[in-house]
Amino acid sequence: MPLGQAGARALASGSPVEQVARLLTAPLCRPRLHVHVGAPLFRGSEQPQALALARSAVTRAWYSAARQLGEPLIPVAS
């Protein structure tokens, strides 16, 4: 199943000191996180087609998660 998540960058970006500060203040100022689980994939027999299908499904799952948080949607280069 494809899985997309958005919002983790708010917790994991910055210097180690900034990350610890965010962790300590998280109960007061909770960052928004969203995870989207897509429909199961049924892989075909051709590997290139299966990889393209998986990439497309994961990209759609990420877009769905990002939309839930109102994050800017930046097109993914192929």
Side-chain angles (χ1 to χ4, degrees):
M1 282 191 243
L3 184 73
Q5 65 83 25
R9 185 178 301 168
L11 290 175
S13 64
S15 70
V17 172
E18 291 171 324
Q19 290 178 20
V20 169
R22 274 196 283 292
L23 180 64
L24 294 175
T25 61
L28 302 173
C29 179
R30 293 182 184 210
R32 293 185 60 210
L33 302 173
H34 187 81
V35 175
H36 177 83
V37 179
L41 297 177
F42 298 100
R43 185 174 79 101
S45 60
E46 297 294 322
Q47 185 174 358
Q49 292 170 341
L51 290 174
L53 175 66
R55 178 185 170 98
S56 175
V58 169
T59 300
R60 286 192 311 273
W62 178 84
Y63 276 116
S64 179
R67 271 193 298 275
Q68 290 294 318
L69 294 181
E71 288 190 359
L73 302 178
I74 302 167
V76 177
S78 296

